[in-house]
Amino acid sequence: MTDIIASPAVKEAVKVVMEQQEHHGEDAAAEARASQPIRASVLRADQLAHEAEDHARDRQHVKGKLTARERLDLLLDTGSFEEIGRFRGGDINGGRAGSAVITGFGEVFGRKVAVYAQDFSVKGGTLGVAEGRKICHLMDKALDLKVPIVALIDSGGARIQEGVAALTEYGHLFRKTCDASGFVPQLSLILGPCAGGAVYCPALTDLIIMTRENSNMFVTGPDVVKAATGEVISMDDLGGGYVHNATSGVAHYLGEDEADAIDYARTVLAYLPSNADQQPPVYAYAATRADRDVAKRLATIVPDNDRQPYDVLDVIRCIVDYGEFVQVHELFAASAVVGFACIDGHPVGIVANQPNVNAGILDVDSSEKVARFVRLCDAFNLPVVTLVDTPGYKPGAEQEHAGIIRRGAKVIYAYANAQVPLVTIILRKAFGGAYIVMGSKAIGADLNYAWPSSQIAVLGAAGAVNIIHRKDLQKAKDAGKDVEALRAKYIADYERTTVNANLSLEMGEIDAMIDPEQTRETIIESLRLLASKKRVRRTTKHHGNQPL
């Protein structure tokens, strides 16, 4: 910290003044100040800063919350925080230490990040002109330096006393956030209230992290909801951390407490580059004999019965370094799994169907979950490894009316436009449109592989037989024959001739059939091959019109 009030000279001067005041009163303290080569205004600023933090602790700790500066201490490497504009928006002579937001730069695992932390102990953390300008200034510097932006949010929203001027600052923040989108990683930690128009700042960022307690987001609060609709609902049920992680999908991680939420933010930043112009960091990894034992486990995870569920997380942990997988959107749309991992020391994004939940089917929520994550990886140069085991899209009027066409198309758009290395492994089932959209070669994947037991077709064998042989089955029934035996024969024939991966291999849509225990090594070799893949601008268009 390079602020003058943190310098040894100031600390010593303050110590002397405080001792004089304690033992001899104000007159002696004034004499001590006069004898020290430190300006009185600096001492006053230091005193205000300490009083402000004491006040913040008194206000926050009783609610089970940390102060803004305590949160920054947890987020950043020790001693790395460089605050900017500490007293901007304050009034030193008037006894006001600063505004309701702390801004500055620090390091996370030795890499520079920009941070701002709203201070609820100052005017409820509300945003006015001073706060808005401080944050915008920080974001401008972050874009110049090409470093990630982390927001620690704990605010009552726009400062009512400043009226439209406060709202205008939100407009500026929205614009800055959009400018930064896809250029530098942006993380939002919701560690208190976030209401009204303020919710759209985090909504525009890459990841939103909330806590189980004290964390709330909503456009209109419970009182407004009650007045407008008569519905009585609590803050947590309306917009608490669990609701936005498990139901709405607004948030991407639910921390047990503030320390857990902040640790997750640090972990995610370790997988991402500082900006879109850089490659992700590379970590040392030394293969061991244990890797072979882990690889052999893959052959035992997926059941022979294609209707029997299993946990795809077991497959992922056998493929990635040290079995470490950082899930994103863990509680939302659980029929799909997405998250960060390293393979041979290189960060990647993992996308997988989850047979343990609704057979790994694609629905409106899992489609948006997958699409958003693929876009995030593509923006920040992370290769995407896709593990496929899905029977297709979820059928029914509910899904159609919820927009499965529009929202399912987002997966297509994300994969078709991605220009990072794309490697796909078909573990078991890949049926219909879901086969195409889940990183197929036809949609743009670079290298595609299949396990020997994989099934690739328009429909599963049973569904296809019921359509193709409908008349034959009806005739057999009318003739009093064993319909189920005949159906089983047709299913076996269809699986032998059509559902297996042979046709895809012959067409070149699958590059190779691999044994499960070869999976990790195959992915490593594929990513090495694709390491020099370059982005290509194919047209002069401004941008595509993504289904939203």
Side-chain angles (χ1 to χ4, degrees):
M1 178 63 209
T2 55
D3 196 315
I4 189 173
I5 67 172
S7 70
V10 171
K11 289 181 177 179
E12 183 60 31
V14 171
K15 181 180 177 183
V16 170
V17 169
M18 295 300 292
E19 288 176 350
Q20 291 289 342
Q21 182 173 329
E22 182 179 348
H23 292 100
H24 304 291
E26 287 291 344
D27 292 340
E31 290 179 13
R33 283 194 293 268
S35 66
Q36 297 296 318
I38 302 294
R39 290 177 55 194
S41 59
V42 174
L43 293 177
R44 177 57 177 154
D46 176 84
Q47 183 183 4
L48 283 176
H50 283 86
E51 289 174 355
E53 186 62 11
D54 290 341
H55 174 69
R57 279 193 292 268
D58 292 341
R59 291 282 304 275
Q60 294 288 85
H61 287 185
V62 294
K63 303 174 186 174
K65 296 162 66 176
L66 300 176
T67 70
R69 294 186 185 278
E70 288 171 339
R71 290 165 176 166
L72 290 172
D73 286 342
L74 285 176
L75 174 68
L76 303 172
D77 296 349
T78 303
S80 69
F81 183 50
E82 300 285 341
E83 188 168 357
I84 59 175
R86 179 164 192 168
F87 294 99
R88 183 173 180 174
D91 180 1
I92 294 175
N93 292 331
R96 189 154 45 87
S99 64
V101 67
I102 300 166
T103 57
F105 293 88
E107 293 181 355
V108 173
F109 297 119
R111 295 163 58 214
K112 189 73 72 179
V113 298
V115 292
Y116 70 87
Q118 292 177 315
D119 188 348
F120 198 82
S121 70
V122 178
K123 298 182 179 179
T126 53
L127 185 133
V129 173
E131 288 79 10
R133 289 177 178 172
K134 277 184 74 171
I135 297 172
C136 285
H137 176 68
L138 176 80
M139 296 181 75
D140 284 336
K141 289 297 182 185
L143 292 176
D144 289 343
L145 298 173
K146 300 182 179 181
V147 298
I149 301 169
V150 181
L152 306 176
I153 296 172
D154 186 3
S155 170
R159 189 168 296 151
I160 297 173
Q161 296 88 332
E162 297 189 28
V164 73
L167 294 178
T168 299
E169 292 305 320
Y170 272 119
H172 294 156
L173 289 178
F174 296 161
R175 182 69 179 268
K176 298 284 184 190
T177 306
C178 292
D179 288 344
S181 181
F183 181 61
V184 296
Q186 298 182 89
L187 276 62
S188 299
L189 288 89
I190 314 299
L191 304 175
C194 181
V199 298
Y200 292 110
C201 272
L204 292 167
T205 61
D206 298 304
L207 293 173
I208 295 175
I209 302 165
M210 300 182 74
T211 58
R212 200 172 287 278
E213 303 289 339
N214 298 320
S215 184
N216 298 105
M217 292 179 74
F218 35 69
V219 176
T220 54
D223 292 341
V224 176
V225 170
K226 182 179 180 181
T229 68
E231 181 183 6
V232 178
I233 189 168
S234 69
M235 289 179 67
D236 280 345
D237 290 339
L238 180 63
Y242 183 79
V243 165
H244 283 313
N245 272 272
T247 305
S248 72
V250 167
H252 301 84
Y253 181 74
L254 181 65
E256 288 301 318
D257 53 28
E258 292 188 20
D260 182 31
I262 291 170
D263 182 66
Y264 182 83
R266 284 177 58 87
T267 301
V268 167
L269 287 171
Y271 289 92
L272 298 171
S274 293
N275 58 71
D277 294 335
Q278 295 182 357
Q279 292 299 311
V282 178
Y283 301 98
Y285 182 81
T288 66
R289 184 179 300 175
D291 288 352
R292 291 196 296 270
D293 296 333
V294 171
K296 290 178 181 178
R297 282 191 54 224
L298 283 170
T300 66
I301 294 174
V302 178
D304 293 332
N305 183 348
D306 64 4
R307 290 180 174 271
Q308 186 175 340
Y310 64 93
D311 191 347
V312 79
L313 291 175
D314 292 336
V315 175
I316 294 171
R317 294 186 184 113
C318 289
I319 293 172
V320 303
D321 294 356
Y322 308 113
E324 294 177 0
F325 179 53
V326 180
Q327 281 202 66
V328 175
H329 259 153
E330 180 177 357
L331 301 179
F332 179 68
S335 63
V337 170
V338 301
F340 302 105
C342 282
I343 295 182
D344 197 33
H346 294 265
V348 299
I350 304 284
V351 175
N353 304 113
Q354 175 56 288
N356 240 2
V357 180
N358 295 330
I361 206 162
L362 282 175
D363 58 16
V364 291
D365 288 337
S366 59
S367 294
E368 290 190 334
K369 173 177 175 175
V370 168
R372 170 75 172 177
F373 185 73
V374 171
R375 294 288 279 176
L376 172 64
C377 292
D378 186 51
F380 295 112
N381 306 316
L382 265 71
V384 177
V385 176
T386 305
L387 307 176
V388 183
D389 188 351
T390 177
Y393 280 100
K394 186 177 182 179
E398 178 190 1
Q399 288 291 300
E400 297 295 345
H401 297 169
I404 189 65
I405 297 172
R406 168 177 57 83
R407 295 161 76 177
K410 296 179 184 184
V411 184
I412 300 173
Y413 195 95
Y415 273 106
N417 283 276
Q419 296 201 27
V420 292
L422 301 174
V423 179
T424 300
I425 313 289
I426 297 176
L427 307 182
R428 192 168 61 173
K429 295 191 294 293
F431 293 156
Y435 156 66
I436 294 296
V437 306
M438 287 295 294
S440 69
K441 182 164 285 192
I443 208 172
D446 299 294
L447 293 168
N448 291 56
Y449 304 94
W451 284 5
S453 59
S454 60
Q455 303 175 15
I456 306 171
V458 175
L459 278 177
V465 164
N466 287 337
I467 295 174
I468 297 171
H469 295 286
R470 178 173 56 86
K471 291 183 179 179
D472 296 327
L473 293 170
Q474 185 61 47
K475 287 179 182 177
K477 182 179 180 181
D478 293 342
K481 295 181 180 180
D482 188 343
V483 176
E484 292 307 316
L486 183 61
R487 191 195 313 274
K489 175 183 178 300
Y490 286 144
I491 288 174
D493 290 343
Y494 189 84
E495 288 178 342
R496 177 174 51 81
T497 60
T498 307
V499 174
N500 61 53
N502 290 352
L503 180 59
S504 296
L505 279 164
E506 293 163 4
M507 293 175 59
E509 293 301 305
I510 297 295
D511 292 295
M513 191 84 75
I514 62 172
D515 285 327
E517 62 192 65
Q518 294 177 281
T519 304
R520 174 178 163 84
E521 194 58 38
T522 299
I523 294 171
I524 290 173
E525 293 299 327
S526 298
L527 294 178
R528 285 176 184 165
L529 175 66
L530 298 169
S532 59
K533 183 179 179 181
K534 303 296 183 185
R535 294 181 182 272
V536 178
R537 187 179 176 120
R538 298 187 179 92
T539 71
T540 58
K541 66 183 179 182
H542 303 303
H543 57 73
N545 187 16
Q546 179 181 357
L548 296 172

